[in-house]
């Protein structure tokens, strides 16, 4: 996928070398928990993710590195877990601290939602901490709306294909 200011390139295990720095800011994990990955941990995670499916085959995993259009610099990632035989997708995005507040997350999430709907997904869901105003703004720009539902303390945001 490619947009004006960004491109979304399919994840490879080799991306871990660049992404470990992008994901190193501890403040990235304020609302999601966890901590910055190690290079070895990120390589192991990417090795699992690039298979494209959960071990039981019920989930399809799609992961892209968000890159700046003008120089290819990695700035974050977007991901979708597609379930219910391709009808539902849960999405997430992370942009490294050095590249936040520049519209990259909104552009990437919007492109991801459009791609999913073009592919036949009927419902897209994101889990967003209720105090995470930046992620709520990204979700809204990508066409998702907040629901009254919560999962593990996070509000579900949803968009349905028209």
């Amino acid at each position: 996928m490619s947009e004006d200011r960004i491109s979304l390139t399919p994840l490879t295990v080799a991306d871990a070398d660049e992404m470990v720095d992008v994901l190193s800011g501890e403040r990235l994990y304020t609302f999601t928990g966890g901590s910055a990955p190690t290079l070895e941990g990120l390589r192991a995670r990417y090795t699992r993710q690039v298979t494209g499916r959960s071990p039981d085959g019920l989930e399809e995993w799609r992961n892209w590195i968000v890159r700046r259009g003008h120089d290819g610099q990695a700035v974050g990632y977007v991901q979708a877990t597609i379930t219910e035989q391709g009808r539902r997708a849960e999405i997430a995005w992370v942009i490294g601290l050095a590249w936040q507040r520049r519209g990259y997350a909104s552009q990437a999430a919007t492109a991801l939602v459009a791609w999913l709907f073009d592919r036949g997904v009927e419902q897209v869901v994101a889990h967003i901490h209720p105090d995470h105003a930046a992620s709520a703004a990204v979700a809204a720009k990508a066409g998702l709306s907040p629901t009254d539902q919560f999962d593990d303390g996070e509000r579900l945001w949803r968009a349905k294909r028209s």
Side-chain angles (χ1 to χ4, degrees):
M1 283 184 273
S2 182
E3 298 294 321
D4 306 334
R5 298 177 47 233
I6 62 164
S7 64
L8 302 181
T9 60
L11 178 71
T12 68
V13 175
D15 289 321
D17 294 339
E18 186 175 14
M19 288 299 293
V20 72
D21 290 330
V22 173
L23 301 175
S24 66
E26 291 299 324
R27 285 192 350 248
L28 280 177
Y29 308 95
T30 300
F31 295 105
T32 60
S35 59
T38 64
L39 180 57
E40 296 76 26
L42 200 54
R43 284 181 181 152
R45 180 189 323 164
Y46 287 0
T47 297
R48 288 187 305 275
Q49 290 176 330
V50 298
T51 65
R53 291 219 168 263
S54 61
D56 63 10
L58 297 176
E59 297 177 347
E60 179 183 349
W61 298 336
R62 295 297 188 128
N63 298 274
W64 294 268
I65 301 300
V66 179
R67 296 185 176 281
R68 290 191 304 204
H70 70 280
D71 65 2
Q73 165 78 46
V75 299
Y77 68 85
V78 293
Q79 62 185 33
T81 300
I82 303 167
T83 60
E84 297 179 16
Q85 298 173 333
R87 293 187 307 271
R88 183 175 192 274
E90 293 196 6
I91 65 170
W93 53 86
V94 174
I95 300 296
L97 294 172
W99 301 278
Q100 291 182 0
R101 304 179 103 40
R102 298 180 189 184
Y104 295 134
S106 295
Q107 192 171 8
T110 299
L112 176 57
V113 170
W115 183 86
L116 289 163
F117 285 157
D118 286 348
R119 191 171 180 267
V121 170
E122 297 169 6
Q123 179 177 216
V124 174
V125 176
H127 298 242
I128 299 175
H129 189 283
D131 295 331
H132 199 329
S135 274
V138 169
K141 287 180 183 175
L144 284 75
S145 300
T147 70
D148 293 332
Q149 296 176 302
F150 284 81
D151 181 22
D152 198 24
E154 296 180 316
R155 181 181 298 273
L156 301 185
W157 286 65
R158 183 172 287 123
K160 292 186 178 183
R161 185 170 54 133
S162 48

